[in-house]
Amino acid sequence: MFERILRWSLVAIAVAGLAAGGAAHAFGRPEWAGIAFTASTVPVIAGLVVSIIRDVLAGRIGVDAIALVSMSAAIVLGEPLAGAVVALMYSGGNVLEDIAVARAEHDLRALVDRAPRIAHRWHDDRIEDVAVADVAIGDRLMVRAGEIVPVDGVVETAIAVVDESALTGEPIPVSRRRGMAILSGSLNAGETFELSVTATAGESTYAGIVKLVTSAQTAKAPFVRLADRYALIFLPVSLAVAAAAWLASGDLIRALAVMVAATPCPLILAAPVAFIAGVAQAARSGILVKGGGKLEALARAHTVLFDKTGTLTVGGARLLSVEAAPGEDADTVLLLGASLEQASHHVLAHAIVEAGHARGLKLKVPERVRETMGSGLAGIIDGRRISAGSPDLILGSHAPPPWAARAIRRASWRSALIVLVAVDGRPIGALLLADELRADTPRAIRWLREAGIARMVMVTGDRAAAAQAIGAALDLDAVLADRVPSDKVDAVRSEQRLHPTI
């Protein structure tokens, strides 16, 4: 904070000095103008001397030294205006960097603020609110509907429906049954459930994300500015050219002109400002960049590995087809299913309702709707009991009729979700919903090719048939399907051994 205040103070002094000097010139007082220009340059020189000493002690030397020589020579040779201009460029660039840093911090802070602060813990048959930091392994927590899961744990109730989009990008809520793990940072998209803690707040999944954000905010960019890489050559060459100009012309001011022109203020400032602005822009697009080294590594990349769902595809369900039972009408199946789903807030429900509207169906208002979170719902439409949900909910322990078995197999082949629709307990049809390719995915693949990426691979947990279809449509170099998370890690490591890999 002290350095930030100092930078703003220096740029304010530089601006004030130039303004005062300009006013003095306008009123015919050049001597006062010289004093104002000098007074605005000297503090910047002092600050730059301190910065250079720090760099030298750290074993670094950069082209900032040329700016120091230029400002100092301008003062000594009686050209304070030139020194004031260089001072403004240098100090102003540092302030621009501070502004970009502040923007990046603001964009990234939202994710940190989402971390839960309070947990509801069972204690002696009652619920008490405690700080998340006080939760211990083995504690039993209650997670209410709409709350963020505070720590990693396992489900202790029959079922929990959670939205893991903040962690995985998958927009469709998933069901977790008793004994299954749930990650902190997930949103409870269903009814209240109980959780047995398996990791403290500091060791949980969401804490890792928060640490990543914090490091992105505080880490110094490890890049080396292009001009700094050649500072040991650039500085003496500039001094030599300045000396040659002096000897050739006999005018010392010519040497000063060379040094002022050689002062690489744009090069001094461009890298940090571009890096921080890039981090801020990426954050607004949901991308966290851990540091400058990671950003620079992108330029060397040879191979890109893509996940499928939510990356190459939209990540949300779209109606793929309507499978009607013999003697039933597909529009009737969709009409009843979409009418009933109007009463649900589930992501799949929204997709089904939108599909009904898109087909021009006039949806009806359901009554006495009862929802089984994560499985489906039932209600009354035109005096008939309509149900829509998973095969387990609609069929129970009964074997599916032949048409339904075919629909279930087709959904499996296409990695689609299936919603059965029943009237008075009799299945009349099925709605198949699946992900679809993002509209901009082909363009993004083409741009990556043009940017120099030589190999593109899709790694997915989906079945080979569905994955190969997308891989062929995008002309990917390889498709690795049926991969569990550990297999995906192995695939990344294999590619990294060969080439720089994203």
Side-chain angles (χ1 to χ4, degrees), residues 186-412:
S186 303
L187 173 70
N188 183 2
E191 299 172 350
T192 298
F193 66 88
E194 292 185 5
L195 182 77
S196 178
V197 178
T198 58
T200 61
E203 299 299 324
S204 290
T205 302
Y206 203 75
I209 296 176
V210 172
K211 290 174 184 175
L212 173 63
V213 175
T214 303
S215 66
Q217 289 178 334
T218 59
K220 295 293 184 182
F223 56 75
V224 179
R225 294 174 308 201
L226 179 63
D228 285 345
R229 293 173 181 171
Y230 306 102
L232 291 176
I233 299 174
F234 194 42
L235 179 57
V237 167
S238 298
L239 291 172
V241 173
W246 178 20
L247 293 174
S249 65
D251 185 358
L252 192 56
I253 299 301
R254 295 296 179 90
L256 173 61
V258 171
M259 294 306 298
V260 170
T263 302
C265 288
L267 294 178
I268 291 172
L269 306 173
V273 172
F275 165 68
I276 298 298
V279 169
Q281 181 67 30
R284 285 192 291 274
S285 299
I287 304 165
L288 299 182
V289 181
K290 192 172 183 180
K294 305 297 184 293
L295 200 59
E296 287 193 328
L298 292 174
R300 301 190 299 273
H302 173 279
T303 302
V304 175
L305 274 70
F306 295 101
D307 183 38
K308 181 179 77 68
T309 306
T311 304
L312 298 177
T313 62
V314 174
R318 302 290 189 277
L319 182 65
L320 189 66
S321 65
V322 180
E323 306 291 332
E328 301 290 346
D329 178 63
D331 282 348
T332 301
V333 174
L334 180 57
L335 172 65
L336 294 176
S339 297
L340 183 61
E341 295 287 0
Q342 291 178 109
S344 174
H345 293 290
H346 197 280
V347 174
L348 293 183
H350 177 73
I352 294 170
V353 172
E354 287 297 310
H357 288 311
R359 292 201 182 185
L361 301 178
K362 188 175 181 179
L363 305 187
K364 302 180 179 182
V365 178
E367 300 175 346
R368 290 184 284 171
V369 177
R370 183 180 181 87
E371 184 166 7
T372 303
M373 296 301 293
S375 296
L377 67 168
I380 303 299
I381 298 177
D382 292 340
R384 297 183 296 175
R385 182 170 180 77
I386 310 299
S387 304
S390 66
D392 289 341
L393 178 71
I394 302 301
L395 300 174
S397 58
H398 298 91
W403 69 266
R406 287 193 299 271
I408 292 171
R409 286 196 300 271
R410 190 174 297 114
S412 176

Side-chain angles (χ1 to χ4, degrees), residues 9 169 234 248 262 266 360 376 468-469 493:
S9 299
F234 194 42
Q468 290 289 351
R493 288 174 176 164

